[in-house]
Amino acid sequence: MNATTDTDRSPNPVDLHVGGRIRMRRKLLGVSQERLADDLGLTFQQVQKYERGANRVSASKLYEIAKSLQTSISYFFEGLVDPSTARAEGVSDSGAEPFIHDFLMTPEGLELAALFPKIRRGRVRRRILDLVRSMAEEEESADTAED
């Protein structure tokens, strides 16, 4: 048998993505983990594990989650690369999923993700992105200077 490595224990990128989308939808509707858990007949810890991607969501449970959060099942897969075209186009499966998940797991990231698309003017969105980029570069420079 093969030895288990640390990478074998890390959540699957698809599970991270689906969990992040569950969290985002739940937060957008103002539903607590406890309320969603009650609706699904689960503990709030189980909902936490789904949202973190630590546990996989079964097809039937995803159906129940979609019903409870008043959305389509496809909502939870939006933003993922279509596997039928990914290989033909040479797209990697790993991509930015861990970054997206980490971003959506913060309250600020979740709020920014919800509000940013509401800004219709591309020029304004670009300026916000430039601001965030320069602030991140400043943080990185400060961190490097401390080392």
Side-chain angles (χ1 to χ4, degrees):
M1 242 182 166
N2 294 341
T4 303
T5 64
D6 287 339
T7 57
D8 293 338
R9 292 184 212 145
S10 62
N12 180 290
V14 174
D15 297 331
L16 286 172
H17 182 87
V18 169
R21 298 289 290 182
I22 291 170
R23 176 179 164 80
M24 184 165 61
R25 181 68 182 174
R26 178 182 62 75
K27 296 285 259 177
L28 288 172
L29 294 177
V31 174
S32 68
Q33 287 178 331
E34 292 85 1
R35 188 169 138 214
L36 179 59
D38 286 345
D39 200 31
L40 300 171
L42 302 171
T43 64
F44 81 91
Q45 291 95 338
Q46 186 63 43
V47 171
Q48 284 179 328
K49 289 178 182 181
Y50 286 156
E51 290 183 358
R52 286 194 326 262
N55 284 3
R56 272 195 186 132
V57 182
S58 69
S60 58
K61 193 57 69 180
L62 190 60
Y63 181 87
E64 291 177 34
I65 292 169
K67 185 177 174 185
S68 177
L69 297 178
Q70 304 163 6
T71 191
S72 66
I73 293 169
S74 63
Y75 169 85
F76 300 109
F77 297 96
E78 287 175 7
L80 281 176
V81 174
D82 184 343
S84 66
T85 60
R87 294 239 186 328
E89 296 171 1
V91 177
S92 168
D93 287 342
S94 59
E97 288 306 316
F99 300 114
I100 293 168
H101 178 262
D102 292 346
F103 175 72
L104 292 177
M105 290 306 286
T106 67
E108 301 84 4
L110 188 62
E111 186 174 4
L112 186 59
L115 295 173
F116 193 79
K118 293 180 181 181
I119 301 169
R120 293 193 176 136
R121 293 182 13 225
R123 188 173 180 182
V124 173
R125 287 194 309 267
R126 172 58 58 190
R127 290 180 71 194
I128 291 169
L129 181 59
D130 289 343
L131 173 65
V132 172
R133 185 181 296 118
S134 71
M135 292 173 77
E137 288 169 359
E138 208 172 278
E139 282 282 322
E140 198 172 273
S141 294
D143 290 344
T144 305
E146 290 176 3
D147 289 341

